[in-house]
Amino acid sequence: MKVKNILISQNVPADFEKSPYAELKRKYSINLDFYKFFKLEAISGMEFRQTKVNILAHTAIVFSSQVTIDYFFHLSQELRIEIPETMKYFCTTESIAHYLQKYIQFRKRKIFFPKATTANGILDLFSKNKELVYLIPCSLDSQSSKFDAYFEENGIEYSHAVVFKTVPAEVNKDVDINKYDMLVFFSPVGVQSLKINFPDFKQGDEVAIGALGPAVISALEQEGFTVNVKAPTKEAPSITTAMDLFLKENATRRR
């Protein structure tokens, strides 16, 4: 199997030249094209009510991304829920905490984020505020978080609130899927998008497929595809590391 042209089924990194993808491109003289195979959509107020999650029954909210902040406050506005002044916010980074100012007045709320020198990051903040009831906004296809185990082990009350969902995107009709020697996927929805946008696509023996995460691997295998590049693993904690290991043996040009 010889790999020269690779399709990455998500947006190009904001600073591509400093990304691991740029290093792979230089190292193996490969062509990388980025096309997003999925998009995000807001959960409607009607859909959210069916989950029976009571936002106001919580005393703290955990944010791990700016996107989640946008969808949470969009939903709150649609539901006409006024978040109380007493609500506390826990953000995984300082930049996410500052982004909150788009929706709330920073000085009037209690916003927490880990200092750069804090060994355990946001977990230290949770440990000092165990009496709070936490709400974790999330996506429909990822109704769990890296904090769940910690909360459960420490007897901290928490809930998930689905505020957005990932759906297949319409891929540019100019994309010639058959020109690629490798396709890389990051979401089960991306696999659905492949089937919708390119119903006649066949992997055969000449196309390698990469996947990040067990759910994506499972989705591909259920569709009958062979997954040649898998991450995370012990040897390859990231998809770019897994690609590097694969390209060492399969790139058309190697240094």
Side-chain angles (χ1 to χ4, degrees):
M1 186 177 292
K2 298 301 181 183
V3 177
K4 175 69 174 178
N5 299 304
I6 302 177
L7 184 150
I8 309 295
S9 63
Q10 65 177 6
N11 286 340
V12 62
D15 193 347
F16 175 78
E17 289 304 321
K18 294 183 179 180
S19 73
Y21 291 108
E23 179 58 29
L24 290 177
K25 184 175 182 178
R26 289 188 290 265
K27 187 175 182 179
Y28 297 108
S29 298
I30 53 177
N31 298 319
L32 292 171
D33 290 335
F34 293 80
Y35 295 102
K36 195 169 183 179
F37 273 42
F38 56 90
K39 61 183 179 179
L40 304 182
E41 286 187 356
I43 291 291
S44 69
M46 181 179 297
E47 290 175 295
F48 185 77
R49 290 188 187 97
Q50 292 174 353
T51 68
K52 300 189 184 304
V53 173
N54 183 357
I55 293 176
L56 298 181
H58 300 79
T59 52
I61 303 174
V62 182
F63 288 121
S64 298
S65 71
Q66 294 179 4
V67 168
T68 308
I69 291 174
D70 288 334
Y71 281 109
F72 173 79
F73 283 100
H74 171 84
L75 178 65
S76 297
Q77 184 177 27
E78 181 181 347
L79 295 171
R80 298 182 180 180
I81 294 176
E82 185 174 346
I83 307 299
E85 296 284 334
T86 54
M87 185 69 76
K88 295 183 179 180
Y89 299 89
F90 290 76
C91 302
T92 53
T93 68
E94 183 175 1
S95 62
I96 294 172
H98 284 293
Y99 187 76
L100 267 174
Q101 294 179 88
K102 180 178 178 180
Y103 296 97
I104 64 175
Q105 293 184 354
F106 207 91
R107 67 179 184 276
K108 289 186 177 181
R109 311 287 181 152
K110 292 190 175 181
I111 301 175
F112 302 83
F113 58 88
K115 302 293 189 295
T117 55
T118 304
N120 295 318
I122 199 169
L123 298 185
D124 287 340
L125 298 176
F126 293 150
S127 69
K128 296 175 182 177
N129 296 274
K130 292 183 178 181
E131 76 285 357
L132 299 176
V133 180
Y134 292 86
L135 183 69
I136 308 174
C138 62
S139 68
L140 180 63
D141 56 328
S142 181
Q143 297 183 51
S144 62
S145 78
K146 57 186 176 182
F147 310 124
D148 292 5
Y150 179 85
F151 285 152
E152 291 171 8
E153 290 171 2
N154 290 273
I156 299 173
E157 290 188 70
Y158 74 99
S159 304
H160 295 108
V162 174
V163 296
F164 67 93
K165 56 187 174 183
T166 309
V167 299
E170 182 176 341
V171 179
N172 189 325
K173 296 303 182 183
D174 294 331
V175 175
D176 179 7
I177 197 71
N178 295 312
K179 87 170 190 177
Y180 296 102
D181 310 305
M182 178 186 286
L183 310 177
V184 183
F185 295 93
F186 303 83
S187 165
V189 176
V191 181
Q192 295 176 31
S193 185
L194 174 69
K195 299 293 289 184
I196 293 171
N197 287 282
F198 307 101
D200 299 325
F201 171 76
K202 304 293 183 185
Q203 180 180 11
D205 298 326
E206 300 302 320
V207 179
I209 290 182
L212 177 63
V216 187
I217 294 170
S218 176
L220 285 161
E221 292 178 340
Q222 286 177 19
E223 292 292 346
F225 295 116
T226 298
V227 183
N228 310 89
V229 182
K230 301 178 181 180
T233 65
K234 183 178 180 180
E235 297 76 19
S238 69
I239 190 63
T240 49
T241 303
M243 290 172 64
D244 190 9
L245 294 173
F246 184 79
L247 290 169
K248 282 180 182 179
E249 303 297 329
N250 294 282
T252 55
R253 179 179 174 185
R254 302 182 292 276
R255 294 182 180 179

